[in-house]
């Protein structure tokens, strides 16, 4: 079963129908994969990505934030 089919099934089991979905987006590979999978499942108009830059890791955290912004803009 593909990741998209699995995610769609899980959303259905959770009762998600027409609601908007907010997903935490750190910029790492796992949250990036989740973001793209959910975008394919529900469409980008129903998806909101949330990223928090705590500023703890300095320039590396700033780079993660810039990456997240770039992905969401595209």
């Amino acid at each position: 079963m593909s990741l998209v089919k699995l995610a769609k099934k899980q959303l259905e089991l959770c009762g998600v129908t027409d609601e908007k979905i907010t997903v935490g987006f750190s910029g790492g590979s796992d949250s990036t994969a989740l973001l793209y999978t959910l975008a394919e499942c529900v469409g980008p108009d129903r998806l909101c990505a949330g990223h928090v830059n705590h500023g703890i890791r300095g320039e590396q955290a700033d780079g993660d934030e810039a990456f997240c912004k770039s992905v969401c803009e595209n």
Side-chain angles (χ1 to χ4, degrees):
M1 179 179 287
S2 76
L3 184 58
V4 172
K5 285 183 182 179
L6 185 62
K8 284 181 179 181
K9 183 175 181 163
Q10 192 61 41
L11 290 170
E12 183 181 311
L13 288 171
C14 292
V16 176
T17 55
D18 296 331
E19 297 91 356
K20 290 190 176 189
I21 297 171
T22 301
V23 62
F25 184 34
S26 68
S29 58
D30 55 344
S31 67
T32 302
L34 178 61
L35 182 72
Y36 280 114
T37 300
L38 288 173
E40 191 165 330
C41 288
V42 303
D45 293 340
R46 287 185 42 213
L47 188 61
C48 177
H51 177 83
V52 177
N53 180 347
H54 296 285
I56 296 170
R57 295 178 301 116
E59 289 182 18
Q60 189 175 8
D62 294 340
D64 292 342
E65 180 180 352
F67 172 76
C68 291
K69 283 181 182 180
S70 174
V71 168
C72 291
E73 288 171 352
N74 292 321

